[in-house]
Amino acid sequence: MPDVDLTHYKPNPKQLVAHDSRAKFLLYGGAVSGGKSVFLCMDVLRRCLAWNHNDVGIYRWEYANFRRTTFQTLEEWVLSRDGLVSQHNANEHWIKLFNGSRISYGGLKPSESAAGDLLAVAKSLEHSAIYIDEVTDLPEKLFDFLPTRVGRVLCQWAETGEWEKPNGVIRATCNPELGWVKTRWIDRPNPGYVFVRATVDDNAANVSEDYIRTLYANKDPDWIRRYAQGDWSAAVDFDAVCPVEFLIKATTNQAADDGVCEFGVDVGAEGNDLSVIAARFGGRCEILWEGNTPDTMVLKGKVKAYNERYSPRVVKVDTVGVGKGVYDALAQDGVPVMPMVGGAKAEDSSGNYLNQRAEIYWGFRKLLQEGRISLPNMPELINELGVIRYSQSASGRTIQIEGKKELKKRLGRSPDRADAVVYAFAYADPGFLAVTA
């Protein structure tokens, strides 16, 4: 065995905590220059040296981004070290160490020829552990598949020579962003999920004082909280139609039930899409039911049951695709339904909105800004609403809202809760939205 010198790596205290964690799913980081990529690469190396003939993967969503960022760290901390690497296959994207352990690397995004299979690359993985840099770039569906690809390698424990399959783990890094990562690691940690927050100050021994001063200089306080201090409460998507500060404020609003009830129903199409029934009682919103069911008659039965219980003035149903069947069945049974068709012409004839989706989402935004809405303190809903983006025409006049297909491509899932809630408030008379501070 060659004499490999690893004393060049002096982990900061937060990196040590992350290295020592036994959690199944660990998220490290928050701040820029908090040592995220170095932690990932060195944890990969530590794991590969602890077991001979190990196989570990380190990835980002897109290979181009990996090559430009994470790979540079691999080059500095692994490939450039004498006596450590026995072979590097740059074409097939793997590095073999002196002890037979292998580090696979690259991007998890399928090629255009994968015919829409989000898991095309991941299905071929066979690792003991997987490391993801900037995990917020990954679609949630892909991340949920990754645990099936770890704990699959028989390797030799270096200390004892015994052969075993190490427990499969996933390690990830990212800066604070709204979305599914925030929900499951920060807002409502799932069992087995651990977050280690690292600020730029935690990594001060590895960056210059001048860099830290520059990082803090002339920056907006919210930017500093988010990117220098790794504060997830400062995560904001500046192109979001529903600004996060208004969404959070809406969870503390107290709304009076003035007797006016309306439903919004989003119909899940396939895969991990949810069907959701939302209701507004004046300005107060509730998620009455959500579930993953491909049977539209099951959803019809749920809507009818809640209709009989609450007697809503109108039930606004997503009638695009499979939702048309639910709408027709409810209408036939006498439920007071109203169609929601995102691509339909806006009721407002001013030309301010590209379509109905833009019109109802912008109306929801205005109600939020006016403090007329009370939302449930539900991280999944807040994060869905907070990541839907809007754009304006070159003239600045016409508003367009990110469509479901675009969102599903970007996030890996449909914004089902958000759509149901916005439907519930669509075309609402502000006079009915009684809210008290």
Side-chain angles (χ1 to χ4, degrees):
M1 180 181 295
D3 184 17
V4 179
D5 181 13
L6 298 182
T7 58
H8 62 287
Y9 178 52
K10 294 179 173 55
N12 67 49
K14 292 295 182 67
Q15 288 171 328
L16 281 174
V17 170
H19 284 311
D20 291 341
S21 175
R22 296 179 178 270
K24 175 78 172 180
F25 305 96
L26 180 134
L27 178 66
Y28 175 83
V32 297
S33 298
K36 300 188 298 297
S37 294
V38 173
F39 159 73
L40 278 191
C41 291
M42 292 308 293
D43 204 71
V44 165
L45 183 56
R46 286 159 64 109
R47 194 171 298 273
C48 284
L49 294 179
W51 283 277
N52 302 323
H53 307 288
N54 201 347
D55 196 314
V56 172
I58 180 168
Y59 303 100
R60 283 192 66 161
W61 173 232
E62 294 187 347
Y63 177 68
N65 289 335
F66 181 93
R67 186 79 192 184
R68 189 170 55 250
T69 56
T70 320
F71 184 76
Q72 304 300 316
T73 308
L74 271 178
E75 281 192 312
E76 178 183 357
W77 293 90
V78 178
L79 287 168
S80 66
R81 301 297 161 178
D82 292 338
L84 190 57
V85 176
S86 65
Q87 187 179 0
H88 177 206
N89 191 319
N91 291 326
E92 296 183 9
H93 300 168
W94 54 261
I95 301 164
K96 191 172 184 179
L97 304 185
F98 67 88
N99 67 344
S101 290
R102 192 167 88 156
I103 302 170
S104 300
Y105 64 85
L108 295 177
K109 185 177 181 179
S111 66
E112 295 296 331
S113 62
D117 184 1
L118 189 67
L119 309 179
V121 175
K123 286 177 180 177
S124 65
L125 302 182
E126 296 277 343
H127 296 309
S128 71
I130 289 177
Y131 292 76
I132 305 295
D133 205 1
E134 295 301 333
V135 67
T136 48
D137 291 343
L138 258 65
E140 184 176 14
K141 179 181 178 181
L142 172 57
F143 183 85
D144 284 337
F145 180 73
L146 292 182
T148 70
R149 316 319 300 164
V150 297
R152 304 172 67 91
V153 179
L154 182 65
C155 47
Q156 185 184 42
W157 179 238
E159 287 188 1
T160 65
E162 295 182 2
W163 289 82
E164 59 184 351
K165 287 185 177 181
N167 291 331
V169 299
I170 294 178
R171 300 289 181 258
T173 69
C174 66
N175 299 122
E177 300 285 349
L178 292 175
W180 66 269
V181 172
K182 185 173 183 290
T183 297
R184 67 172 63 188
W185 261 292
I186 310 301
D187 297 326
R188 187 178 293 149
N190 290 4
Y193 283 71
V194 169
F195 170 58
V196 177
R197 176 180 174 181
T199 71
V200 67
D201 298 298
D202 291 323
N203 201 38
N206 299 309
V207 295
S208 69
E209 292 183 8
D210 183 65
Y211 176 86
I212 294 178
R213 283 196 298 269
T214 302
L215 191 68
Y216 280 91
N218 302 317
K219 298 294 194 306
D220 179 89
D222 287 337
W223 190 99
I224 291 174
R225 285 173 52 219
R226 182 176 182 179
Y227 291 111
Q229 299 172 358
D231 185 350
W232 284 75
S233 67
V236 175
D237 188 332
F238 294 103
D239 294 324
V241 64
C242 299
V244 69
E245 62 268 28
F246 293 112
L247 291 169
I248 293 173
K249 178 63 169 63
T251 65
T252 65
N253 285 342
Q254 301 297 316
D257 183 353
D258 58 6
V260 176
C261 173
E262 296 184 350
F263 285 3
V265 180
D266 185 74
V267 183
E270 59 184 358
N272 63 342
D273 287 358
L274 293 175
S275 291
V276 182
I277 305 172
R280 74 166 186 89
F281 303 92
R284 178 174 60 86
C285 175
E286 288 185 21
I287 300 290
L288 300 179
W289 179 86
E290 62 178 51
N292 186 287
T293 172
D295 190 337
T296 56
M297 290 305 98
V298 171
L299 178 58
K300 170 206 160 185
K302 293 288 185 183
V303 175
K304 280 195 67 178
Y306 283 110
N307 178 69
E308 292 171 2
R309 180 176 178 181
Y310 293 108
S311 299
R313 183 170 60 176
V314 63
V315 177
K316 289 164 272 190
V317 182
D318 170 21
T319 57
V320 177
V322 294
K324 183 64 164 58
V326 177
Y327 174 87
D328 289 342
L330 290 170
Q332 188 173 6
D333 288 350
V335 176
V337 289
M338 173 181 176
M340 292 281 102
V341 182
K345 186 177 180 181
E347 288 192 3
D348 186 322
S349 60
S350 65
N352 290 335
Y353 308 106
L354 180 69
N355 50 28
Q356 185 188 78
R357 182 172 179 81
E359 184 177 39
I360 64 176
Y361 260 91
W362 204 255
F364 185 82
R365 172 190 171 103
K366 290 178 179 178
L367 294 174
L368 272 177
Q369 291 174 322
E370 294 169 2
R372 293 181 177 273
I373 293 177
S374 173
L375 294 175
N377 190 8
M378 184 180 185
E380 295 85 351
L381 171 62
I382 302 304
N383 285 316
E384 277 189 19
L385 285 166
V387 298
I388 299 173
R389 297 170 178 170
Y390 77 96
S391 59
Q392 292 176 281
S393 62
S395 66
R397 179 183 178 189
T398 303
I399 295 167
Q400 179 175 353
I401 304 297
E402 194 171 16
K404 281 189 173 184
K405 288 184 179 179
E406 290 78 10
L407 270 164
K408 195 165 185 178
K409 185 176 181 180
R410 179 165 67 87
L411 304 176
R413 62 170 301 156
S414 178
D416 307 305
R417 300 180 187 91
D419 281 353
V421 167
V422 171
Y423 294 157
F425 283 89
Y427 306 116
D429 184 341
F432 290 125
L433 306 179
V435 178
T436 57

